[in-house]
Amino acid sequence: MTAHTAWSTGRLSGASGPTRVLFGQMYEDAEVEARAFEGRQRVFCIASAGDTAMLLSHRHDVIACDINPAQVAYAQRRINTGYSHIGDADRFMAFARRFQPLIGWRKQALRDFIALSDLNQQAAFWRKHFDTATFRLAFDALLSRPVLRTRYALQLLSFLPAHFGRVLRKRLERGIAHHPNAANPYIANLLLGTRLSPPPANPKNVRLITGDAATVLDSLPPGSIDAFTLSNILDGANGLYRERLRTAVQHAASHDAIIIWRSFAEPSSPNIPNHADGDRAMLWGTLHIQSAADFLAK
């Protein structure tokens, strides 16, 4: 067995062919990183669509890498010019929103819901207007393994919890209970497709590199990174690649480095604090903020 990550194909389906832009925007709340990384100089992040690198570039020196050349080229263009593109994952979410009228979700009701700020009102509105039996049935079917398998490689689904539709509905309810809608751009994006607008980047503080995270980190000077944010690259990586990544983090981490990583999976250990409810994107099952030493010990 060799170290492998499903992201290496540059295609969500895992099919062979030219790499594609998978993410036109990121579904991660980079404000989590902005708070956690305060006072730290050198940051390593996954490039993806560039949102996290763009936000962090105003207070940090950022090295952003991605294994997908098409994604790196897109992130570079977005950082330099603000250009925005629809990626393959974005298309799937747009496809899902087409079913809203069929399950009784009216545009005006969605707009009224997104304008709310009171958490109790939000929860009541959600239960009354959206959390219907028809919605639950349709949502669970859309996120069933057979349907997802038509779009995503099996290795990108293997870590998902059973009954993923039901699990993700619970995460949405959790987010609605924690974050005022009117101040949350992610819920407007999720429900209406409103594009996210990250702040303009400071391009001179961002260095983009094409390559897998472990290889890139191995190439950096020892102890040169003060903070890491790894997105969910561990989703879809086999055990050998995970070990390669831990070794590379150990090489690049400064003595008090901090690391953030996300997963669509549920937390594997109750002993590690889970901060997923603090991410306004509301999609994640796991969001760990750890010292690099603790990350390496697991």
Side-chain angles (χ1 to χ4, degrees):
M1 183 182 293
T2 60
H4 176 71
T5 170
W7 301 106
S8 62
T9 65
R11 287 173 167 247
L12 293 176
S13 67
S16 60
T19 60
R20 298 174 58 86
V21 175
L22 306 182
F23 304 101
Q25 60 189 34
M26 294 178 70
Y27 299 91
E28 302 170 24
D29 184 1
E31 291 291 345
V32 173
E33 279 80 359
R35 292 189 295 269
F37 295 168
E38 187 173 354
R40 296 170 186 270
Q41 181 179 348
R42 297 173 300 276
V43 171
F44 175 88
C45 73
I46 302 304
S48 186
D51 301 64
T52 300
M54 294 167 80
L55 179 64
L56 296 179
S57 68
H58 294 276
R59 295 187 177 181
H60 310 273
D61 296 324
V62 179
I63 294 175
C65 90
D66 206 290
I67 199 170
N68 180 352
Q71 200 70 57
V72 172
Y74 169 67
Q76 185 71 74
R77 184 176 180 185
R78 195 167 184 230
I79 288 168
N80 290 342
T81 69
Y83 169 78
S84 186
H85 179 77
I86 303 296
D88 289 352
D90 312 310
R91 290 188 182 92
F92 181 72
M93 298 186 76
F95 169 75
R97 284 190 290 271
R98 294 178 188 173
F99 292 93
Q100 289 175 343
L102 299 179
I103 61 173
W105 283 21
R106 296 180 295 105
K107 290 290 186 185
Q108 188 56 54
L110 288 166
R111 294 189 188 99
D112 291 343
F113 177 62
I114 289 168
L116 295 175
S117 296
D118 182 274
L119 298 180
N120 291 327
Q121 289 181 2
Q122 290 175 188
F125 199 107
W126 174 261
R127 289 191 298 268
K128 179 177 179 180
H129 296 280
F130 302 128
D131 190 22
T132 63
T134 302
F135 160 66
R136 293 192 292 269
L137 183 65
F139 193 75
D140 293 0
L142 183 67
L143 295 180
S144 65
R145 185 63 61 93
V147 173
L148 290 175
R149 188 67 184 87
T150 66
R151 300 272 185 139
Y152 293 88
L154 187 60
Q155 196 174 351
L156 290 176
L157 302 177
S158 60
F159 51 84
L160 295 181
H163 309 292
F164 183 54
R166 183 171 65 196
V167 171
L168 190 54
R169 286 192 281 108
K170 295 296 183 183
R171 293 177 190 173
L172 295 178
E173 292 172 6
R174 178 188 67 192
I176 290 165
H178 277 81
H179 305 289
N181 288 347
N184 184 3
Y186 295 91
I187 195 166
N189 169 252
L190 188 66
L191 298 182
L192 288 176
T194 305
R195 297 289 289 176
L196 297 171
S197 299
N202 186 354
K204 68 181 180 64
N205 286 347
V206 182
R207 176 187 171 197
L208 277 160
I209 303 175
T210 302
D212 77 275
T215 300
V216 172
L217 287 170
D218 272 337
S219 72
L220 300 179
S224 60
I225 301 297
D226 303 313
F228 303 76
T229 177
L230 299 179
S231 185
N232 67 318
I233 64 168
L234 292 175
D235 291 345
N238 69 7
L240 286 179
Y241 186 82
R242 288 168 176 255
E243 289 309 309
R244 271 197 63 211
L245 182 62
R246 293 185 193 279
T247 300
V249 168
Q250 184 176 33
H251 162 79
S254 62
H255 74 281
D256 62 346
I258 189 172
I259 188 164
I260 293 177
W261 56 280
R262 293 170 171 81
S263 175
F264 278 111
E266 291 291 276
S268 59
S269 171
N271 299 322
I272 308 175
N274 185 20
H275 300 272
D277 60 357
D279 189 309
R280 293 175 298 167
M282 306 188 297
L283 301 177
W284 302 103
T286 300
L287 195 166
H288 289 322
I289 304 174
Q290 301 173 273
S291 69
D294 286 342
F295 175 76
L296 294 169
K298 303 303 176 184

